[in-house]
Each structure stands twice: as structure tokens, then as C-alpha cells.
């Protein structure tokens, strides 16, 4: 396979990795932070975590050399680095050019570029809009939940993973370092047999990672879309504000992860201190701990599915292992690996896998996921609220 072909293959598969790129961002000085479980947000070059050697991963020195050699020969250092990562077999390794990494960091701050819609793959293999961003381009164009996306810019998407579909909507790979805000994407849509197209302009949108509402039976539902900055505290605030004894449904379905520090803070809403996860650094075992003072009495059910990933799996595993919650839904994704970022000579950033984390009971998540206490494929939320009712009556 030629270098150009390998590069194209890598970019084609990037959507899957980037869809999971809101991963385990252990930033700041880990040695100090691990003692308290509060990980400060710091700079690149900080190892995320590492619990054991990981096979089939790229070496950062090799990646850096490849980038430097390519630049010395007038070629793209970023593309050379991508080829090394692709050959390594590092499933979650990825290379970002400078603008892409800035976009990634902005996403962790709670903003993103796109048209403001979320989608899922239906049992029939169709891509269905599940919700739209209030006031975003999709909503303004009249697109709503239940609409089917048939194609994007004339390209059929039936066989594409949803993560790749979302990458196309964001304009990933189109910018060549230039902002895609204001660029146009044309969607082929269908609703109840009616087909039409909409031309949308991508925009910078601000997300609200936590949605809180009250559902049937007086249950407090806390839906967490991603663990961006401030998410953990918003979860804690929602729990503290709820009337005493109110059951909580923590909905982590479709949560692709994010900042582990935020997941630990969210765990602190339901735990009175204690272990959340373990990992190693240079062979020395470390741990993440919840803050004391969480609500340990309130009935709690965690709702998960195959889109629950990374930091969301860490939180799920911690609450399950500690006996604090009942987990309902389907097996989680199984993204329990940890990446370390390093800056390359051309300013791009390589995120390479260095290890995995474990839940309090010592279970590895990577490649396995978290198995729910109560597996449910259809009507998961209804079943979860029923379980909460039982937990409440048991109290």
C-alpha cells in the first residue's frame, strides 16, 4: 500500500477515533492530583495514565522522527506522523494538526463546530436524527428528531459508522487548517416518505453537557452528554438541589467520555469518598478518589448503552463496583484506554495510547465494556424508572 493510500485509509477511519476523542484526558500534574482525585487542567506532554504495557501502539519518538524527517524533505509532518500511527495498530491513536487540536480543546470547553444535530443508527440501518441543538442551523431549517439523513453532500451514508457521519457534518478533514465555520453542507433528508434537501452553514455552537428534568414518578433524570469542563459540578449541584429521597436516573447513554477529573467529581455526588479508579505511572500504582460528603442514600440507577464510552464507563464502573447504583441498559462501548499527547515539530499533536484504567474492583474496561446489572435493549428508561421505584420502596 502506498503512503498516500495509507494516509487516505487513516483519514477515512479517523471519524471513529475522533468520535471517541473525548476520552481520558488526565491533564496537569498527576502525581500530586492523584492523592486528592482532583486532576487540574494543564499542558500537553503530560502522561494521562498507564497501568500496563499496551501492545500495538506507536512510539512517540518514532512519530516525532517521522514528522521531522518529512518536514526536512519538504513534506507534511502531520501526514507522516499519521502513517506511523496507522501502521502501529494503535486503535485510538490519532494525530491532529494545530487547528484540529484547538477544536478538540474547545470541545472539552463545551463548544463545537457543526450544524447542531445528533443521530443514531436504527435497526433498519438508517441514520435517524435523535435531537437538535436549540437555535442551531438544523433546527432553524426545520429539521427535527425522527428525520432520516439519506446523504451528505450527495454521498450515501448507509454503510458509514455514525461517528463518521458526525465527522462529515462537522466538516472534519475539509478545512486543511482553515476554520470550517460558515462552510456549507447539503443534507438529503426524509420524513414520512417525503424527501428533500437542506443546505446548512456550519456554526460554532455552545453545548450544555448536563440536562436535568423530572420524569414520571417524580424521578430526577440527569442526562450527561459528555464530561466537559464544569460537568461534574453541575451533576453535584443537581443532586444537592433535589428533594430528599428523590430517586435519580443518571443517563449516560451516548456519552463519549471527556475529562476524567469531571467524571470523578460526578462520582463524588453519590459517594462519600473512596476509590473511583486505579492506574499506574512508570510502574507505580496510583488511584483516583471521590471527595467526601456525597449523597449515599438516594436511590440511583445508571442508564447506559453501546455509546457509553471512556470517562463515562469509568464513572459507571465505579458506582457499580461500589454498590452505589443499579446499572440498566446494554453493554458499554469498551473504551478504557488512555492516551498521552505530545507536540510534533510542525505544531501538530499526536495522541498515543499508553495504558488502561481499572474500576475499583480491578476490572479492565478496554475491549470489554461494563455489563449492566439489568440488561435491557428496548424500553430501557421505563425499566430503569421501575427499578428506581423498587429501590425507593426498599428504603
Amino acid at each position: 500500500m502506498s503512503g498516500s493510500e495509507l494516509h487516505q485509509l487513516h483519514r477515512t477511519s479517523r471519524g471513529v477515533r475522533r468520535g471517541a476523542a473525548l476520552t481520558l484526558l488526565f491533564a496537569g500534574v498527576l502525581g500530586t492530583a492523584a492523592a486528592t482525585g482532583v486532576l487540574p487542567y494543564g499542558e500537553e506532554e503530560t502522561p494521562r495514565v498507564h497501568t500496563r504495557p499496551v501492545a500495538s501502539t506507536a512510539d512517540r519518538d518514532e512519530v516525532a522522527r517521522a514528522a521531522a524527517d518529512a518536514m526536512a524533505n519538504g513534506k507534511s509532518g502531520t501526514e507522516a506522523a499519521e502513517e506511523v500511527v496507522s501502521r502501529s495498530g494503535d486503535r485510538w491513536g490519532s494525530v491532529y494538526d494545530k487547528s484540529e487540536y484547538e477544536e478538540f480543546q474547545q470541545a472539552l470547553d463545551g463548544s463545537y463546530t457543526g450544524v447542531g444535530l445528533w443521530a443514531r443508527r436504527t435497526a433498519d440501518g438508517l441514520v435517524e436524527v435523535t435531537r437538535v441543538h436549540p437555535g442551531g442551523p438544523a433546527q432553524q431549517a426545520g429539521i427535527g428528531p425522527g428525520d432520516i439523513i439519506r446523504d451528505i453532500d450527495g454521498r450515501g451514508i448507509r454503510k458509514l459508522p455514525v461517528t463518521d457521519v458526525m465527522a462529515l457534518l462537522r466538516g472534519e478533514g475539509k478545512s486543511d487548517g482553515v476554520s470550517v465555520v460558515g462552510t456549507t453542507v447539503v443534507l438529503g433528508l426524509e420524513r414520512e416518505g417525503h424527501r428533500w434537501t437542506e443546505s446548512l452553514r456550519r456554526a460554532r455552537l455552545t453545548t450544555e453537557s448536563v440536562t436535568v428534568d423530572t420524569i414520571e414518578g417524580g424521578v430526577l433524570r440527569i442526562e450527561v452528554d459528555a464530561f466537559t469542563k464544569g460537568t461534574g459540578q453541575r451533576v453535584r449541584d443537581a443532586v444537592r438541589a433535589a428533594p430528599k429521597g428523590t430517586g435519580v436516573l443518571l443517563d449516560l447513554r451516548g456519552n463519549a467520555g471527556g475529562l476524567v477529573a469531571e467524571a470523578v467529581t460526578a462520582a463524588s455526588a453519590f459517594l462519600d469518598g473512596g476509590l473511583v479508579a486505579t492506574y499506574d505511572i512508570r510502574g507505580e500504582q496510583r488511584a483516583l478518589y471521590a471527595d467526601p460528603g456525597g449523597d449515599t442514600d438516594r436511590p440511583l440507577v445508571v442508564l447506559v448503552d453501546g455509546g457509553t464510552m471512556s470517562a463515562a464507563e469509568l464513572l459507571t464502573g465505579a458506582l457499580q463496583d461500589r454498590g452505589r447504583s443499579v446499572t440498566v441498559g446494554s453493554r458499554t462501548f469498551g473504551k478504557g484506554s488512555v492516551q498521552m499527547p505530545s507536540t510534533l515539530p510542525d505544531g501538530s499533536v499526536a495522541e498515543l495510547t499508553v495504558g488502561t484504567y481499572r474500576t475499583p474492583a480491578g476490572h479492565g474496561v478496554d475491549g470489554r465494556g461494563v455489563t449492566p446489572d439489568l440488561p435491557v435493549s428496548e424500553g430501557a428508561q421505563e425499566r430503569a424508572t421501575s427499578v428506581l421505584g423498587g429501590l425507593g420502596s426498599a428504603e
Side-chain angles (χ1 to χ4, degrees):
M1 181 178 289
S2 69
S4 61
E5 289 173 329
L6 188 61
H7 172 63
Q8 182 59 41
L9 176 62
H10 177 76
R11 293 193 72 86
T12 299
S13 64
R14 286 171 104 194
V16 177
R17 286 196 285 267
R18 297 291 175 83
L22 288 176
T23 56
L24 298 171
L25 291 185
F26 285 79
V29 184
L30 290 177
T32 301
T36 61
V38 179
L39 301 179
Y41 305 109
E43 303 299 326
E44 298 166 4
E45 303 293 349
T46 303
R48 305 300 194 236
V49 294
H50 138 194
T51 57
R52 58 181 173 81
V54 178
S56 300
T57 186
D59 176 83
R60 71 171 180 172
D61 291 335
E62 180 186 2
V63 173
R65 282 196 301 270
D69 290 346
M71 293 174 64
N73 292 310
K75 298 179 180 179
S76 169
T78 302
E79 291 185 8
E82 288 177 342
E83 290 176 10
V84 173
V85 173
S86 293
R87 289 197 302 267
S88 74
D90 186 343
R91 184 183 181 193
W92 299 114
S94 194
V95 180
Y96 302 81
D97 65 32
K98 186 176 180 180
S99 65
E100 288 174 332
Y101 200 70
E102 289 175 353
E103 178 81 13
F104 175 50
Q105 295 298 95
Q106 288 173 341
L108 291 172
D109 285 333
S111 64
Y112 69 101
T113 297
V115 297
L117 63 78
W118 289 261
R120 71 179 182 93
R121 181 74 63 183
T122 69
D124 297 329
L126 303 175
V127 177
E128 179 185 62
V129 176
T130 55
R131 59 192 177 94
V132 295
H133 190 109
Q139 187 184 63
Q140 291 179 17
I143 299 171
D147 290 345
I148 301 299
I149 304 175
R150 296 184 295 107
D151 56 72
I152 299 175
D153 289 332
R155 175 184 179 182
I157 58 173
R158 190 177 183 90
K159 294 183 179 181
L160 287 180
V162 172
T163 47
D164 283 6
V165 172
M166 299 309 293
L168 289 173
L169 292 173
R170 290 192 300 268
E172 190 172 287
K174 289 180 174 289
S175 63
D176 293 326
V178 179
S179 173
V180 298
V181 173
T183 59
T184 299
V185 59
V186 179
L187 305 188
L189 299 155
E190 182 174 349
R191 179 190 300 162
E192 297 178 351
H194 169 64
R195 295 187 176 187
W196 80 103
T197 61
E198 289 288 352
S199 181
L200 307 177
R201 287 191 179 275
R202 298 182 179 94
R204 169 66 60 186
L205 301 169
T206 301
T207 64
E208 177 52 69
S209 61
V210 180
T211 302
V212 181
D213 60 3
T214 301
I215 60 176
E216 184 179 354
V219 169
L220 180 72
R221 179 175 59 186
I222 303 176
E223 182 180 356
V224 184
D225 292 332
F227 287 101
T228 55
K229 292 181 181 180
T231 295
Q233 189 58 50
R234 286 193 283 274
V235 172
R236 295 186 75 175
D237 290 344
V239 173
R240 288 170 176 169
K244 184 177 180 180
T246 300
V248 172
L249 176 60
L250 182 61
D251 191 347
L252 301 180
R253 291 176 296 179
N255 185 317
L259 294 159
V260 162
E262 298 295 344
V264 172
T265 300
S268 300
F270 306 102
L271 299 172
D272 186 15
L275 188 63
V276 174
T278 60
Y279 58 93
D280 287 359
I281 296 179
R282 300 181 182 91
E284 181 181 351
Q285 182 166 302
R286 303 295 180 86
L288 297 171
Y289 294 96
D291 292 334
D295 189 329
T296 59
D297 297 323
R298 190 184 301 275
L300 173 65
V301 169
V302 178
L303 193 54
V304 297
D305 65 6
T308 304
M309 303 170 65
S310 190
E313 292 177 284
L314 181 149
L315 173 59
T316 301
L319 296 175
Q320 185 183 60
D321 283 4
R322 295 282 302 274
R324 180 60 188 90
S325 70
V326 175
T327 306
V328 176
S330 52
R331 183 188 294 269
T332 63
F333 186 86
K335 169 65 174 68
S337 62
V338 187
Q339 283 69 48
M340 178 179 73
S342 59
T343 304
L344 301 178
D346 63 352
S348 58
V349 176
E351 287 258 351
L352 307 177
T353 302
V354 296
T356 56
Y357 69 81
R358 292 187 175 276
T359 67
H363 301 303
V365 174
D366 202 50
R368 303 174 183 173
V370 177
T371 302
D373 300 306
L374 180 60
V376 177
S377 56
E378 298 291 338
Q381 180 169 303
E382 291 75 12
R383 193 67 178 275
T385 54
S386 176
V387 171
L388 266 175
L391 294 175
S393 63
E395 294 290 333

